[in-house]
Amino acid sequence: PAAPPSIGGPAGSRPESSVDLRGAALAHGRHLSSRRNVLHIRTVPGHEFLLQSDQEIEWRAWHRALRAVIERLDRENPLELRQSGSGPAELEELSGGEDDEEDSEPVSKPLLRIGGRRSSSRCPEGTEQNRVRNKLKRLIAKRPPLQSLQERGLLRDQVFGCQLESLCQREGDTVPSFVRLCIAAVDKRGLDVDGIYRVSGNLAVVQKLRFLVDRERAVTSDGRYVFPEQPGQEGRLDLDSAEWDDIHVVTGALKLFLRELPQPLVPPLLLPHFRAALALSESEQRVSQIRELIGSMPKPNRDTLQCLLEHLCRVIAHSDKNRMTPHNLGIVFGPTLFRPEQETSDPAAHALYPGQLVQLMLTDFASLFP
């Protein structure tokens, strides 16, 4: 049979970005998505990925291939536990200080078994390796608090996936600097681009930008690992450089940032009130109610929402060229901004009003944000 097409591009080319699968956990993603045949990957630094296929046979092929790669990496290039000063003692502390008797406990079934090779119990060194490997299994399964990892230097400050309030407090502003950076880039060179925010950018390049912003390693086109030179590199990131010349990569990264907020930009507790306000028949009353709800949001949420919507109004002003109307932008941003905290039992009930709310906020922006 013919060889499958190359995922990374033409033969001999290198991917724009990659993920370190050493020690990764592999599970079925049925609890994370309503779609079928979803594969959930969780790496040791805490990054999570979902792969979905319409064909179960293809899903199983992915599972086998990824499992084989993870087990091979564990044999050939095991995770170095002593980086950043971590070791068995620190792993025990991070895992909650369980007794050594629990070392033999297996990882819960959804997680991939990390140990690809058993060491002889007669060898003291092999026993130590097994003990450390079991510590690592529990560390991956129990996910210690982010603050604990940061204090020990195992995890750097992140931007994507960070609580909005914590991020703004760390930066000393009420709107994340990365949001301002993306908006400025789109205002400068993307307002006239057809399908801006609707067209997706290259996912590999979006992930590369994300890694740089998160102060973690990124992979260059020639396969080298690179780190930001100094903490806070994202504040000096030049989105006008040739590396990010595709403006859809910038918009894709901004949308990804909003999707990965642990709590949606609009607090889920307010969603029923927004939906009730949208159902009001009187236009003035409807706008008044929504204005009050926006005013009740935490300041970082409110200011970031205002900054984003004000920018989208500028996008709409160029709709004769980019074809992005309030309706189209509502479809793009509605599910992200008005996202329920948990999967709703009736997806159809949540399908329309988020887009309608964003559309209303854009058309009545001056009244909602006087």
Side-chain angles (χ1 to χ4, degrees):
S6 172
I7 296 177
S13 66
R14 292 181 179 270
E16 289 287 347
S17 182
S18 66
V19 177
D20 190 346
L21 291 177
R22 291 178 299 167
L26 200 61
H28 200 295
R30 62 171 65 88
H31 62 294
L32 298 174
S33 173
S34 59
R35 306 185 70 177
R36 299 178 59 186
N37 305 322
V38 177
L39 194 61
H40 178 210
I41 306 171
R42 187 172 69 207
T43 65
V44 170
H47 299 305
E48 300 188 62
F49 303 90
L50 295 180
L51 303 179
Q52 190 272 337
S53 173
D54 292 332
Q55 303 294 329
E56 183 177 358
I57 188 172
E58 186 175 46
W59 179 91
R60 293 186 179 278
W62 290 351
H63 189 281
R64 287 194 300 271
L66 285 167
R67 182 174 58 189
V69 168
I70 295 171
E71 292 179 343
R72 176 174 59 81
L73 289 174
D74 184 60
R75 293 193 302 269
E76 300 175 357
N77 188 19
L79 192 66
E80 178 54 62
L81 296 178
R82 295 189 181 275
Q83 289 180 350
S84 303
S86 63
E90 185 169 12
L91 281 174
E92 182 172 2
E93 184 179 353
L94 287 175
S95 300
E98 293 93 336
D99 296 334
D100 285 343
E101 293 177 359
E102 297 179 3
D103 288 350
S104 60
E105 287 184 0
V107 170
S108 56
K109 286 185 178 180
L111 294 178
L112 175 69
R113 182 182 181 275
I114 297 176
R117 177 176 58 188
R118 293 176 179 262
S119 300
S120 173
S121 59
R122 292 173 292 179
C123 175
E125 182 181 355
T127 302
E128 173 67 12
Q129 290 177 351
N130 282 336
R131 191 178 73 83
V132 173
R133 184 172 288 116
N134 284 327
K135 293 286 187 183
L136 180 58
K137 288 179 183 180
R138 292 209 309 276
L139 175 64
I140 295 171
K142 297 191 177 181
R143 301 286 295 278
L146 177 62
Q147 181 180 0
S148 176
L149 293 176
Q150 289 174 336
E151 289 174 352
R152 290 160 174 79
L154 299 176
L155 192 64
R156 304 180 183 188
D157 290 337
Q158 299 209 349
V159 173
F160 283 75
C162 181
Q163 291 284 353
L164 182 62
E165 185 176 359
S166 300
L167 178 61
C168 289
Q169 184 177 10
R170 191 170 78 210
E171 297 180 344
D173 197 355
T174 56
V175 179
S177 60
F178 181 68
V179 172
R180 294 190 186 276
L181 201 63
C182 291
I183 286 176
V186 178
D187 282 342
K188 183 176 181 180
R189 55 190 177 92
L191 294 180
D192 292 337
V193 175
D194 185 28
I196 192 71
Y197 285 111
R198 179 180 55 80
V199 176
S200 300
N202 185 298
L203 181 58
V205 185
V206 171
Q207 289 290 350
K208 181 179 179 180
L209 176 56
R210 168 193 176 163
F211 291 152
L212 284 175
V213 172
D214 272 348
R215 310 180 192 177
E216 300 218 355
R217 66 183 175 187
V219 182
T220 62
S221 57
D222 61 358
R224 292 179 296 110
Y225 284 125
V226 296
F227 288 86
E229 295 178 0
Q230 302 175 22
Q233 178 90 349
E234 76 278 0
R236 293 182 296 279
L237 189 65
D238 182 13
L239 292 182
D240 289 330
S241 68
E243 194 170 17
W244 322 114
D245 59 350
D246 182 3
I247 196 62
H248 298 303
V249 167
V250 178
T251 58
L254 177 57
K255 291 187 292 183
L256 181 63
F257 170 84
L258 295 172
R259 286 198 302 270
E260 292 205 352
L261 288 174
Q263 294 291 326
L265 191 58
V266 177
L269 291 177
L270 295 180
L271 294 188
H273 302 287
F274 272 106
R275 187 175 183 181
L278 184 66
L280 294 174
S281 57
E282 293 292 332
S283 176
E284 291 185 5
Q285 187 180 8
R286 182 167 59 242
V287 171
S288 176
Q289 287 280 347
I290 293 178
R291 182 169 59 242
E292 290 182 10
L293 289 170
I294 293 174
S296 69
M297 292 168 54
K299 188 167 178 58
N301 300 66
R302 182 174 68 252
D303 289 357
T304 302
L305 178 65
Q306 179 176 353
C307 181
L308 176 65
L309 293 176
E310 189 174 15
H311 162 65
L312 295 181
C313 286
R314 294 191 290 272
V315 172
I316 293 169
H318 293 252
S319 60
D320 57 327
K321 296 181 179 178
N322 60 41
R323 297 193 295 173
M324 294 304 290
T325 62
H327 174 75
N328 293 337
L329 289 170
I331 293 175
V332 172
F333 283 94
T336 298
L337 300 181
F338 294 90
R339 186 175 83 236
E341 192 168 14
Q342 297 179 345
E343 290 294 332
T344 175
S345 57
D346 185 7
H350 189 76
L352 295 178
Y353 80 88
Q356 294 170 348
L357 276 169
V358 172
Q359 182 176 348
L360 184 148
M361 288 182 172
L362 291 171
T363 54
D364 292 305
F365 178 82
S367 300
L368 295 172
F369 298 92

